[in-house]
Amino acid sequence: MPAKIHLYQILVTAISAIMIYQGIVNFWKGRTNQTFLKLFVRIVVWGGMALIAIFPSFTNRLADFVGLKGNINAVILTGFILIFLIIFKLLSAIERLEQQISEVTRKDALKELDKQ
Amino acid sequence: MTDSSRIHIVIPAFNEGSMIASVIDEVRSAGHRNIIVVDDGSADDTFWRAGEKQVIALRHRINRGKGAATKTGIEAAKILGARVIVTMDADGQHDPADIRSLAEPILSGESDVVLGTRLVSPDGMPWHRIAANKIGNFFTWYIYGLWVTDSQSGFRAYSRDAAVQINTHTDHYEYDSEVIYEIKKNRLKYTEVPIKVRYTDYSMGKATKQGFANGLKTLWKMIWNILS
């Protein structure tokens, strides 16, 4: 008897496929800010979601790998770690942008020195 | 006697249109001519008021914070060949008569950086400001490893060499603590000199001053600088 396919499995797989496809296209066309690292993160995050949706039993292997008893706990913990890493990366990027804005603002202000 | 021609005064200002002219007049009365005002993207007429006083007036097109404005002023002073750079607030709480006592240890070669400290004789300073400063001192010491009696004071003096070596990256009030870290990192000689504070209704009422929320933000930024 064939395995029953649930709606969420189709939806998550379709969305993941679209997100990975867009990432590959952006990287292939060399669009601004599309680095290999970003493509890799996209494939890991969305690919991981698709993998769990298609093969729910994969969470048991993940639980064994992480060392937790409950498979759902392992998924949640992994998700938290990923979110933390993403937030850290975002904050770093914002900080870098803030510093660049200050530097541009400073250079612009110092141009006034020549006029005085 | 202090040669004031070698001292540049940097005044970062944000929405200080009503005060900046009198602060400039006071600095002039104290015998200093090299005054750099950095308007940090004010919404009022701070920049024009400073310009009218025939000082070097620079303007940030957008607000970047007290630290960023101070750094812009210090960069300008370096370009103008300053030997000693003194930074002070634009709200009138600092007494320009103290500039000489801040500059002297640098001109005599005793120190690279002189930190004005309000906490040696904090007469007139509100208790909550004293408490906030002590908390700031503790975290500055805990995070950056150098104990000073007033880590949040903006009234400071730098030798030219120190100003070149100190390389800050922060834009807001955490700048003052970052300077302490830079002093330690670059092994600069520093002295703390007592300064007078003139807390007025005006300076106490400014929304941009270090309040509790801003203090927490400053602490978070200090921790973030270590993590990132």
Side-chain angles (χ1 to χ4, degrees), chain B residues 121-133:
Chain B
S121 52
D123 302 333
M125 193 172 177
W127 68 267
H128 54 90
R129 280 283 169 94
I130 296 172
N133 269 283

Side-chain angles (χ1 to χ4, degrees), chain A residues 91 98 102 106 108-109 116, chain B residues 56-57 59 61 64 68 72 171:
Chain A
L91 286 174
E98 290 259 6
S102 292
R106 179 166 300 118
D108 175 64
Q116 297 190 31
Chain B
I56 296 157
R59 179 169 53 167
R61 283 181 194 268
R64 298 307 305 147
T72 299
D171 289 338

Side-chain angles (χ1 to χ4, degrees), chain A residues 96-113:
Chain A
R96 201 167 51 247
L97 279 172
E98 290 259 6
Q99 284 178 16
Q100 286 170 349
I101 291 169
S102 292
E103 206 47 51
V104 170
T105 308
R106 179 166 300 118
K107 279 184 182 162
D108 175 64
L110 288 171
K111 279 183 194 163
E112 289 292 318
L113 267 184

Side-chain angles (χ1 to χ4, degrees), chain B residues 63-76:
Chain B
N63 178 246
R64 298 307 305 147
K66 185 200 168 192
T70 305
K71 188 173 177 180
T72 299
I74 289 174
E75 290 300 315

Side-chain angles (χ1 to χ4, degrees), chain A residues 9-71:
Chain A
Q9 291 177 301
I10 298 168
L11 284 175
V12 171
T13 309
I15 293 168
S16 298
I18 291 167
M19 295 307 286
I20 291 171
Y21 172 75
Q22 278 183 345
I24 292 170
V25 169
N26 286 343
F27 180 72
W28 200 256
K29 288 183 178 174
R31 286 197 182 142
T32 323
N33 293 331
Q34 287 302 319
T35 61
F36 180 74
L37 181 68
K38 280 186 182 177
L39 177 63
F40 177 74
V41 169
R42 187 182 277 245
I43 289 171
V44 168
V45 172
W46 289 104
M49 284 174 69
L51 191 70
I52 289 170
I54 298 166
F55 305 107
S57 60
F58 176 75
T59 54
N60 292 323
R61 288 189 193 177
L62 183 67
D64 287 340
F65 177 72
V66 176
L68 292 173
K69 284 182 182 170
N71 57 346

Side-chain angles (χ1 to χ4, degrees), chain B:
Chain B
M1 187 177 161
T2 308
D3 179 3
S4 63
S5 67
R6 293 179 296 177
I7 302 170
H8 281 65
I9 318 297
V10 170
I11 308 174
F14 179 62
N15 289 342
E16 301 284 6
S18 59
M19 278 302 289
I20 194 68
S22 62
V23 170
I24 292 168
D25 287 342
E26 274 197 317
V27 174
R28 281 224 174 95
S29 301
H32 302 282
R33 293 285 171 271
N34 304 319
I35 303 168
I36 301 167
V37 174
V38 182
D39 169 32
D40 189 26
S42 299
D44 67 3
D45 57 354
T46 300
F47 179 69
W48 307 110
R49 295 258 178 178
E52 280 171 3
K53 288 284 173 186
Q54 306 294 310
V55 297
I56 296 157
L58 305 175
R59 179 169 53 167
H60 282 179
R61 283 181 194 268
I62 50 173
N63 178 246
R64 298 307 305 147
K66 185 200 168 192
T70 305
K71 188 173 177 180
T72 299
I74 289 174
E75 290 300 315
K78 285 188 326 200
I79 293 168
L80 294 168
R83 188 177 162 198
V84 179
I85 301 162
V86 176
T87 61
M88 65 184 289
D89 290 357
D91 59 5
Q93 70 162 278
H94 294 148
D95 186 346
D98 287 328
I99 292 173
R100 287 183 192 281
S101 53
L102 285 170
E104 277 296 346
I106 293 172
L107 289 167
S108 65
E110 285 170 39
S111 297
D112 302 309
V113 181
V114 180
L115 308 170
T117 174
R118 298 164 286 186
L119 296 180
V120 172
S121 52
D123 302 333
M125 193 172 177
W127 68 267
H128 54 90
R129 280 283 169 94
I130 296 172
N133 269 283
K134 290 197 169 172
I135 293 169
N137 295 344
F138 171 77
F139 281 110
T140 301
W141 165 76
Y142 190 72
I143 294 169
Y144 292 143
L146 189 68
W147 177 261
V148 294
T149 58
D150 192 353
S151 60
Q152 307 306 305
S153 167
F155 205 7
R156 294 173 173 174
Y158 306 87
S159 69
R160 185 184 179 77
D161 287 345
V164 170
Q165 286 182 66
I166 290 173
N167 185 22
T168 54
H169 301 285
T170 50
D171 289 338
H172 301 276
Y173 282 101
E174 67 277 13
Y175 169 87
D176 292 324
S177 292
E178 197 189 3
V179 167
I180 305 296
Y181 172 65
E182 288 288 314
I183 290 171
K184 189 190 176 204
K185 193 179 87 180
N186 295 298
R187 296 179 181 184
L188 298 169
K189 289 183 286 178
Y190 73 98
T191 315
E192 293 185 272
V193 168
I195 54 166
K196 287 186 223 69
V197 272
R198 301 179 297 189
Y199 282 106
T200 59
D201 290 344
Y202 174 79
S203 67
M204 290 297 295
K206 284 217 78 182
T208 51
K209 282 279 169 197
Q210 279 272 43
F212 181 70
N214 272 337
L216 285 181
K217 225 156 86 177
T218 301
L219 176 61
W220 159 246
K221 284 272 190 176
M222 284 161 66
I223 295 168
W224 176 255
N225 286 337
I226 295 292
L227 292 176
S228 59

